[in-house]
Amino acid sequence: MALLLKGGPVAEAMSQRLLDQCATLKEAGVTPVFAIVRVGEKANDISYERGATKRAQALGVEVRSFVLPESVTEDQLVETLEGINRDSGIHGCLMFRPLPLHLDTPRVARTLDASKDVDAMTSSAMGVLLSPSAVGYAPCTAQASLEILKYYQIPLQGKRITVIGKSMTVGLPTALLMMNEEATVSVCHILSRPEDTRDLCKDADIIISAAGCPGLVTRDYVRHGQIVVDVGVTLGKDGKLHGDVASEEVEPIVEAITPVPGGVGSVTSTVLVGHVVEAAMRRLWKDQ
C-alpha cells in the first residue's frame, strides 16, 4: 500500500515556525491581525471561518470578522474593504467567494490592497508566482500542495509533474509553483481528450489532481513508483468528502498519496494564517 502523505504533521511543523515568528513580533510590540469578510450565512463559509479562526488564535493571531448580509450592496462591500485597507493594524484579509450574483466580483477583488491579500483574491497573486518582486501571496491550496511535498522530502527538480485542472485558484498556480521548483510540468484540462490526460499521468513522476471531479483518477492513470497529490474535494451525496482520486484503486499501486480528507485541505488554513504572519513581518521590516 502507498505511503499516506498526511497533512497533520505538515501543519504542525509549519505551526511551530509560525509560533516562533509570532514571538518575534510580540517582542516588537506587534500582534498579527487577520480580517475575515463574509457575505451571507453559507454553512461551508461559516465552517471554514470557524476553523481558520481557531487555527489563527492558537498561533497568537487576532481575528476580526466582518459579517455582511447577503443583500449587501456592492458599494457597501467595497467600503468595507477600503476600511480594511486604511486600517494599519490589519495585516491580512480573507474574503469568502463566490459572492452573491448581484455583486461584481472583479471590481470588489480589485479593491483590496494586494499587500493584505493573503488568499490570492487580487490579480497580484498570479504575479507573485511569475516575479519575485511582485507584491502578494500564492493561492493557499496551491502552496499547501508544495508544502506537503517538501515536508515529505519528495524531490521536485527535474521531475515530470502532471497537473489536472487549470483553474486560476488552484491548477494554474500549482503548475507555476512546481515550475519554480525546476520541475517539468504538463497541465491537463479534463474536458478535452481524456486519453491524453491518462497518458500524461502515467508518464509523470508526480500527479497533482485539482479538477474537483470525484473518482477521476483511476488505476488506468497510474503506475508503480508515482506520487499522487489529491487536491480535489467534493461533498458527495453521502455527506462525505471525496477526492479526485479513486483511492481504493490507486493506493495499492502508487508509492505515496495524500488522503482526502486529512491531506492538502488540512494544511491550507495553516498556509493562510502563515500569510498573515508574513504580512505582519513585512510591515514590521518596512516600518523599521
Side-chain angles (χ1 to χ4, degrees):
M1 292 294 286
L3 169 68
L4 288 182
L5 306 175
K6 295 182 179 180
V10 185
E12 180 59 30
M14 293 174 63
S15 295
Q16 288 302 314
R17 294 196 300 270
L18 293 174
L19 284 170
D20 292 341
Q21 291 175 337
C22 285
T24 299
L25 288 166
K26 186 175 181 179
E27 289 176 2
V30 177
T31 297
V33 177
F34 179 27
I36 297 179
V37 179
R38 172 165 53 84
V39 176
E41 301 293 329
K42 293 179 184 176
N44 287 346
D45 290 352
I46 293 171
S47 176
Y48 188 83
E49 179 180 353
R50 188 180 299 118
T53 298
K54 183 177 179 181
R55 173 74 65 176
Q57 292 174 341
L59 295 170
V61 175
E62 179 185 331
V63 178
R64 297 184 193 172
S65 294
F66 297 79
V67 181
L68 304 169
E70 191 162 353
S71 60
V72 66
T73 68
E74 193 172 302
D75 286 343
Q76 288 171 330
L77 180 53
V78 165
E79 184 179 346
T80 298
L81 292 176
E82 288 176 340
I84 290 170
N85 290 343
R86 291 191 299 269
D87 191 336
S88 60
I90 293 177
H91 301 99
C93 176
L94 158 72
M95 184 181 72
F96 284 106
R97 290 153 289 160
L99 293 171
L101 294 177
H102 70 279
L103 300 174
D104 181 354
T105 297
R107 180 204 170 196
V108 173
R110 287 193 300 269
T111 302
L112 183 63
D113 184 340
S115 67
K116 297 188 179 187
D117 177 22
V118 293
D119 192 42
M121 183 174 73
T122 64
S123 58
S124 296
M126 198 59 66
V128 79
L129 299 176
L130 299 171
S131 171
S133 62
V135 177
Y137 302 89
C140 296
T141 302
Q143 185 176 332
S145 301
L146 179 59
E147 295 286 352
I148 287 177
L149 291 170
K150 286 189 171 183
Y151 176 85
Y152 286 102
Q153 299 181 349
I154 295 169
L156 299 174
Q157 186 177 27
K159 298 297 182 180
R160 294 168 298 176
I161 298 179
T162 294
V163 177
I164 306 175
K166 61 174 186 178
S167 73
M168 293 289 287
T169 54
V170 184
L172 185 54
T174 298
L176 291 171
L177 282 173
M178 299 302 154
M179 290 171 66
N180 289 341
E181 297 295 324
E182 300 184 10
T184 299
V185 181
S186 300
V187 180
C188 303
H189 192 286
I190 60 171
L191 298 181
S192 61
R193 298 184 63 84
E195 64 275 13
D196 289 347
T197 300
R198 285 195 296 269
D199 291 343
L200 285 167
C201 284
K202 266 203 164 170
D203 286 342
D205 301 303
I206 300 170
I207 300 169
I208 303 176
S209 188
C213 184
L216 171 68
V217 179
T218 62
R219 63 168 60 90
D220 297 330
Y221 285 66
V222 300
R223 57 174 172 77
H224 293 288
Q226 288 179 307
I227 310 298
V228 178
V229 179
D230 192 350
V231 182
V233 177
T234 304
L235 183 64
K237 293 180 180 180
D238 56 3
K240 297 180 180 179
L241 295 177
H242 297 271
D244 285 353
V245 180
S247 56
E248 68 282 356
E249 297 183 23
V250 171
E251 272 189 44
I253 300 173
V254 300
E255 180 179 327
I257 186 172
T258 59
V260 175
V264 175
S266 60
V267 180
T268 301
S269 62
T270 306
V271 171
L272 176 65
V273 177
H275 287 171
V276 178
V277 175
E278 184 179 346
M281 296 289 286
R282 289 181 181 182
R283 173 68 63 80
L284 178 62
W285 296 332
K286 183 179 179 180
D287 293 343
Q288 286 180 341

